[in-house]
Amino acid sequence: MAEVYVLVRAMADYESGRWDGLADRVRDLATPALGFGAASLDARLLHGPVLTATATGTDAREQLAEVIADCEQVGSVWPLIPAQTALSRTVAEVRAEVADLADHLKDVDAPAAIAALRTCEALVAQADDDAASVERSLASARHSAAAAGLVYVAAQVEERLGDWRCAQGADSGPALLEGALRTYGGLDARRDIARVTQLMRGHGVAVPCPWRGGRRALGTDLSDREREIALLAVAGRTNREIATELFLSPRTVETHMSHTLRKLGLRSREELRRNSGVLSLEGSGR
């Protein structure tokens, strides 16, 4: 019952404008499953508009979309209707802002801005389930950026377009993701490399190695020692256990693990376990 009291108080604070620390309190309420199903849904519903005001529209839409999906799954009318209303309002606000931006840019020769606008239009179209407009807007954004020689921007749009087409089951999706990856590799854009390789694995797309294309590039393949340590980590060994087994210091094992995750475009040992098949590909490629 304590969680319900805290939730009701958070709702009252939201309505009355007492927002000091509210975002953190609502996040904590929305994260764990409360003892009462309805209260849990209410907490997550409240989290949506708080995110809209204090974080990003994307976070808010994702939260509200999850609430709607869960309500439909359990057959709960409340808070299905207010969640749908809040989501529609969020998308409508974004749509209006994008339309205003398009009006300001209609006579401007600014390829980077136009590419960004077309990408925004694609996101709005995606929220509207307008597949044709998503495809058209992303293709236009990619063309604008590439024609202006904006290599990095073009790669980002290519990645988004590849993700979209893979999700739609289009055969051209994997090639677009690989093209973006190779561009990031040539730029040594490590965060982008990590993101797109994770995206490729999520779509079941093979990640080429080396990432830059052409001759093999140093720093992208696992060494024998790194692969050995990675396999032990996948088997559930801790750094200390691996160090004892291989007669290494825990610090050395930690360094090898860090290098391995970076090269594979992964962020944690848990991701490594989920994508352990890539170690077999690494071994067969030697």
Side-chain angles (χ1 to χ4, degrees):
M1 292 298 294
E3 291 92 344
V4 176
Y5 170 77
V6 174
L7 173 59
V8 172
R9 182 173 180 178
M11 290 177 170
D13 288 345
Y14 173 76
E15 296 295 344
S16 61
R18 295 190 296 268
W19 285 26
D20 186 28
L22 180 62
D24 291 336
R25 283 188 286 144
V26 173
R27 184 190 63 243
D28 291 342
L29 284 169
T31 300
L34 298 181
F36 304 88
S40 176
L41 291 171
D42 278 335
R44 292 162 58 199
L45 172 64
L46 178 59
H47 197 206
V50 170
L51 285 173
T52 300
T54 63
T56 69
T58 299
D59 292 335
R61 288 192 298 276
E62 289 178 353
Q63 177 68 34
L64 290 169
E66 289 177 2
V67 172
I68 291 170
D70 287 348
C71 285
E72 291 175 341
Q73 183 176 2
V74 301
S76 174
V77 177
W78 180 273
L80 174 61
I81 295 176
Q84 290 175 327
T85 302
L87 180 60
S88 298
R89 187 184 305 119
T90 301
V91 174
E93 290 172 355
V94 172
R95 185 184 294 108
E97 291 176 1
V98 171
D100 184 59
L101 178 61
D103 185 60
H104 281 81
L105 292 177
K106 61 183 179 182
D107 297 320
V108 176
D109 182 17
I114 295 298
L117 170 63
R118 298 292 176 250
T119 301
C120 290
E121 290 174 340
L123 294 174
V124 171
Q126 189 170 351
D128 292 338
D129 291 325
D130 185 351
S133 293
V134 173
E135 177 74 25
R136 183 171 57 252
S137 295
L138 287 178
S140 176
R142 182 187 179 205
H143 174 76
S144 296
L150 303 173
V151 175
Y152 182 60
V153 174
Q156 290 179 310
V157 179
E158 186 173 32
E159 176 189 349
R160 190 178 292 277
L161 181 59
D163 180 29
W164 164 256
R165 288 185 179 174
C166 281
Q168 302 305 304
D171 293 338
S172 58
L176 289 169
L177 291 177
E178 181 175 334
L181 173 60
R182 293 185 182 279
T183 299
Y184 294 147
L187 298 171
D188 197 26
R190 297 181 182 180
R191 289 183 180 273
D192 298 284
I193 289 171
R195 183 187 61 253
V196 74
T197 52
Q198 183 179 7
L199 190 60
M200 291 172 76
R201 293 188 180 99
H203 285 300
V205 177
V207 177
C209 195
W211 296 330
R212 291 186 175 89
R215 62 183 178 82
R216 296 179 71 81
L218 296 176
T220 58
D221 295 329
L222 298 185
S223 68
D224 291 337
R225 178 65 86 185
E226 287 166 347
R227 185 169 181 274
E228 181 180 25
I229 289 174
L231 288 170
L232 290 172
V234 166
R237 305 282 209 288
T238 66
N239 284 356
R240 188 168 294 279
E241 290 171 338
I242 295 172
T244 299
E245 184 169 338
L246 300 181
F247 302 99
L248 300 171
S249 72
R251 178 64 177 172
T252 298
V253 173
E254 181 181 337
T255 299
H256 280 308
M257 278 300 304
S258 177
H259 291 169
T260 297
L261 294 174
R262 176 183 61 79
K263 291 178 180 181
L264 295 179
L266 303 174
R267 293 179 292 185
S268 67
R269 293 166 73 103
E270 179 59 32
E271 282 193 13
L272 177 62
R273 281 191 287 271
R274 291 199 302 266
N275 295 277
S276 58
V278 71
L279 297 175
S280 300
L281 294 175
E282 286 281 339
S284 64
R286 291 189 177 280

